[in-house]
Amino acid sequence: MYDVTRRQLMHLGVGAAGAAMLSGLPVPARAEDQTLALYNGQHRPPVEALVAAFTAATGIAVVTRNGNSAQLASQLIEEGANSPADVFWSEESPSLVAIAEKGLLAPLHADTLQQIPAKYAARDGSWIGAGARSRVVVYNKSMIEESALPKTVLDFAGEAWADKVAFAPNSGAFQQQVVAVSLLKGRDVALAWLKGLRQYGRVYNSDSAAVEAVEGGDIAVALSNNYYWYALEQELGPDNMNSALYFMGHGDPGTLITVSGAGVLKTSKKAEAAQRFVAFMVSAEGQAAIVGAIAEYPLRPGVVSSFPLKPFDQLDPAPVTPADLGDAAEALALLREADLA
């Protein structure tokens, strides 16, 4: 998780009231005496920025319980009808699918769903994407030329890449990539890919750790989400970066679009306020708050990221939607078969 200071929130345009709320200072009286309970598995900066903007706009306060998306989904399933949560914001869509399949999410309002392209939301309207990210290859510019990188992510599982590729099997985004390989190339190919990565690659605990290893020259290449590299670029400065991003494109699973997103709990006692929160996430103001705090792509047309992202319409990603990925249970089964879980 990233940390955001009060000064940074002010820089993002959150405003004094929102920054005061997050830093423990007195908050102006609310227009509505309501407090929403948000279970949050997403990185904190975009959530804190969005919450502050929402409260400033509506007067509705939000109390956040932060944790791992998959663990929070399990907690919501265990709590069932007794859950205090009003909204679940997940870093990854499979956790939303998992609780939707248990019947825990209420249908979102139709006008909310219409704010973004339908392929980035649940087919039944139970959850919606709030931001998108791309799977990428991060490479060390001193250790390898971009021209030497393969045209497909599947090639990284071969002997030619022995001890040159970092990957994080416990990353939810990597697991979604495994599902995409299985959907596009077949289960046998996906299993062979994982076995090859286990044999020739190097396992890291997280995407961010893998990216930092590439930047530090410990390994040549990493499979990651794009925003971990941008977070490091912000920290070190663009002119000081030893690494760069490589997008495979041409429909390869090496360039997979995944989303963070949210849904309203069916058991929420503040359903209208919860629906209002999710609607605000995909409003122009909400999307600007989110993508101003993390290098995700906005899903609402017309909103522009402040980060120098490769244009979304130039990614040419794998033809797999978040809904296609399901709950990613197939990935866990494949990882176990490959002795990676």
PDB file of all heavy atoms in Angstrom, residues 80-92:
ATOM      1  N   GLY A  80     -22.070 -12.518   6.230  1.00  0.00           N
ATOM      2  CA  GLY A  80     -23.392 -12.684   5.646  1.00  0.00           C
ATOM      3  C   GLY A  80     -24.312 -11.527   5.952  1.00  0.00           C
ATOM      4  O   GLY A  80     -23.959 -10.350   5.825  1.00  0.00           O
ATOM      5  N   ALA A  81     -25.508 -11.854   6.405  1.00  0.00           N
ATOM      6  CA  ALA A  81     -26.522 -10.838   6.683  1.00  0.00           C
ATOM      7  C   ALA A  81     -26.154  -9.947   7.863  1.00  0.00           C
ATOM      8  O   ALA A  81     -26.770  -8.893   8.055  1.00  0.00           O
ATOM      9  CB  ALA A  81     -27.866 -11.515   6.949  1.00  0.00           C
ATOM     10  N   ASN A  82     -25.159 -10.348   8.646  1.00  0.00           N
ATOM     11  CA  ASN A  82     -24.760  -9.563   9.822  1.00  0.00           C
ATOM     12  C   ASN A  82     -23.624  -8.595   9.533  1.00  0.00           C
ATOM     13  O   ASN A  82     -23.127  -7.934  10.447  1.00  0.00           O
ATOM     14  CB  ASN A  82     -24.338 -10.509  10.959  1.00  0.00           C
ATOM     15  CG  ASN A  82     -25.469 -11.399  11.421  1.00  0.00           C
ATOM     16  OD1 ASN A  82     -26.598 -10.935  11.581  1.00  0.00           O
ATOM     17  ND2 ASN A  82     -25.186 -12.675  11.604  1.00  0.00           N
ATOM     18  N   SER A  83     -23.198  -8.483   8.269  1.00  0.00           N
ATOM     19  CA  SER A  83     -22.073  -7.611   7.958  1.00  0.00           C
ATOM     20  C   SER A  83     -22.446  -6.150   8.174  1.00  0.00           C
ATOM     21  O   SER A  83     -23.520  -5.701   7.768  1.00  0.00           O
ATOM     22  CB  SER A  83     -21.627  -7.804   6.506  1.00  0.00           C
ATOM     23  OG  SER A  83     -20.553  -6.914   6.215  1.00  0.00           O
ATOM     24  N   PRO A  84     -21.538  -5.381   8.782  1.00  0.00           N
ATOM     25  CA  PRO A  84     -21.774  -3.938   8.928  1.00  0.00           C
ATOM     26  C   PRO A  84     -21.417  -3.150   7.673  1.00  0.00           C
ATOM     27  O   PRO A  84     -21.642  -1.944   7.620  1.00  0.00           O
ATOM     28  CB  PRO A  84     -20.843  -3.557  10.082  1.00  0.00           C
ATOM     29  CG  PRO A  84     -19.688  -4.505   9.936  1.00  0.00           C
ATOM     30  CD  PRO A  84     -20.299  -5.802   9.457  1.00  0.00           C
ATOM     31  N   ALA A  85     -20.860  -3.822   6.665  1.00  0.00           N
ATOM     32  CA  ALA A  85     -20.381  -3.122   5.471  1.00  0.00           C
ATOM     33  C   ALA A  85     -21.536  -2.607   4.617  1.00  0.00           C
ATOM     34  O   ALA A  85     -22.569  -3.274   4.468  1.00  0.00           O
ATOM     35  CB  ALA A  85     -19.500  -4.049   4.641  1.00  0.00           C
ATOM     36  N   ASP A  86     -21.336  -1.433   4.067  1.00  0.00           N
ATOM     37  CA  ASP A  86     -22.280  -0.877   3.094  1.00  0.00           C
ATOM     38  C   ASP A  86     -21.763  -1.016   1.666  1.00  0.00           C
ATOM     39  O   ASP A  86     -22.532  -1.264   0.742  1.00  0.00           O
ATOM     40  CB  ASP A  86     -22.528   0.604   3.394  1.00  0.00           C
ATOM     41  CG  ASP A  86     -23.170   0.827   4.751  1.00  0.00           C
ATOM     42  OD1 ASP A  86     -24.265   0.289   4.973  1.00  0.00           O
ATOM     43  OD2 ASP A  86     -22.558   1.514   5.585  1.00  0.00           O
ATOM     44  N   VAL A  87     -20.441  -0.830   1.503  1.00  0.00           N
ATOM     45  CA  VAL A  87     -19.809  -0.868   0.179  1.00  0.00           C
ATOM     46  C   VAL A  87     -18.524  -1.683   0.282  1.00  0.00           C
ATOM     47  O   VAL A  87     -17.808  -1.608   1.291  1.00  0.00           O
ATOM     48  CB  VAL A  87     -19.474   0.554  -0.322  1.00  0.00           C
ATOM     49  CG1 VAL A  87     -18.776   0.500  -1.679  1.00  0.00           C
ATOM     50  CG2 VAL A  87     -20.733   1.410  -0.406  1.00  0.00           C
ATOM     51  N   PHE A  88     -18.236  -2.449  -0.756  1.00  0.00           N
ATOM     52  CA  PHE A  88     -16.957  -3.169  -0.864  1.00  0.00           C
ATOM     53  C   PHE A  88     -16.230  -2.645  -2.081  1.00  0.00           C
ATOM     54  O   PHE A  88     -16.739  -2.700  -3.199  1.00  0.00           O
ATOM     55  CB  PHE A  88     -17.208  -4.671  -1.003  1.00  0.00           C
ATOM     56  CG  PHE A  88     -15.953  -5.497  -1.186  1.00  0.00           C
ATOM     57  CD1 PHE A  88     -14.774  -5.211  -0.514  1.00  0.00           C
ATOM     58  CD2 PHE A  88     -15.960  -6.598  -2.043  1.00  0.00           C
ATOM     59  CE1 PHE A  88     -13.629  -5.978  -0.688  1.00  0.00           C
ATOM     60  CE2 PHE A  88     -14.823  -7.382  -2.224  1.00  0.00           C
ATOM     61  CZ  PHE A  88     -13.661  -7.063  -1.549  1.00  0.00           C
ATOM     62  N   TRP A  89     -15.023  -2.101  -1.849  1.00  0.00           N
ATOM     63  CA  TRP A  89     -14.145  -1.618  -2.926  1.00  0.00           C
ATOM     64  C   TRP A  89     -12.967  -2.572  -2.993  1.00  0.00           C
ATOM     65  O   TRP A  89     -12.173  -2.657  -2.074  1.00  0.00           O
ATOM     66  CB  TRP A  89     -13.681  -0.196  -2.627  1.00  0.00           C
ATOM     67  CG  TRP A  89     -12.955   0.490  -3.758  1.00  0.00           C
ATOM     68  CD1 TRP A  89     -12.398  -0.069  -4.862  1.00  0.00           C
ATOM     69  CD2 TRP A  89     -12.710   1.899  -3.858  1.00  0.00           C
ATOM     70  NE1 TRP A  89     -11.819   0.886  -5.654  1.00  0.00           N
ATOM     71  CE2 TRP A  89     -11.999   2.113  -5.059  1.00  0.00           C
ATOM     72  CE3 TRP A  89     -13.017   2.995  -3.051  1.00  0.00           C
ATOM     73  CZ2 TRP A  89     -11.576   3.385  -5.461  1.00  0.00           C
ATOM     74  CZ3 TRP A  89     -12.607   4.254  -3.463  1.00  0.00           C
ATOM     75  CH2 TRP A  89     -11.897   4.444  -4.651  1.00  0.00           C
ATOM     76  N   SER A  90     -12.863  -3.299  -4.082  1.00  0.00           N
ATOM     77  CA  SER A  90     -11.830  -4.322  -4.225  1.00  0.00           C
ATOM     78  C   SER A  90     -10.747  -3.875  -5.195  1.00  0.00           C
ATOM     79  O   SER A  90     -11.028  -3.225  -6.200  1.00  0.00           O
ATOM     80  CB  SER A  90     -12.457  -5.624  -4.740  1.00  0.00           C
ATOM     81  OG  SER A  90     -11.479  -6.614  -4.947  1.00  0.00           O
ATOM     82  N   GLU A  91      -9.526  -4.254  -4.887  1.00  0.00           N
ATOM     83  CA  GLU A  91      -8.417  -3.996  -5.802  1.00  0.00           C
ATOM     84  C   GLU A  91      -8.579  -4.809  -7.076  1.00  0.00           C
ATOM     85  O   GLU A  91      -8.061  -4.426  -8.127  1.00  0.00           O
ATOM     86  CB  GLU A  91      -7.084  -4.331  -5.117  1.00  0.00           C
ATOM     87  CG  GLU A  91      -5.867  -4.054  -5.964  1.00  0.00           C
ATOM     88  CD  GLU A  91      -4.570  -4.461  -5.280  1.00  0.00           C
ATOM     89  OE1 GLU A  91      -4.602  -4.880  -4.112  1.00  0.00           O
ATOM     90  OE2 GLU A  91      -3.519  -4.374  -5.939  1.00  0.00           O
ATOM     91  N   GLU A  92      -9.295  -5.936  -6.990  1.00  0.00           N
ATOM     92  CA  GLU A  92      -9.410  -6.862  -8.113  1.00  0.00           C
ATOM     93  C   GLU A  92     -10.848  -7.329  -8.276  1.00  0.00           C
ATOM     94  O   GLU A  92     -11.549  -7.562  -7.286  1.00  0.00           O
ATOM     95  CB  GLU A  92      -8.493  -8.072  -7.877  1.00  0.00           C
ATOM     96  CG  GLU A  92      -7.015  -7.724  -7.838  1.00  0.00           C
ATOM     97  CD  GLU A  92      -6.298  -8.367  -6.657  1.00  0.00           C
ATOM     98  OE1 GLU A  92      -6.953  -9.097  -5.893  1.00  0.00           O
ATOM     99  OE2 GLU A  92      -5.088  -8.132  -6.503  1.00  0.00           O
TER     100      GLU A  92
END
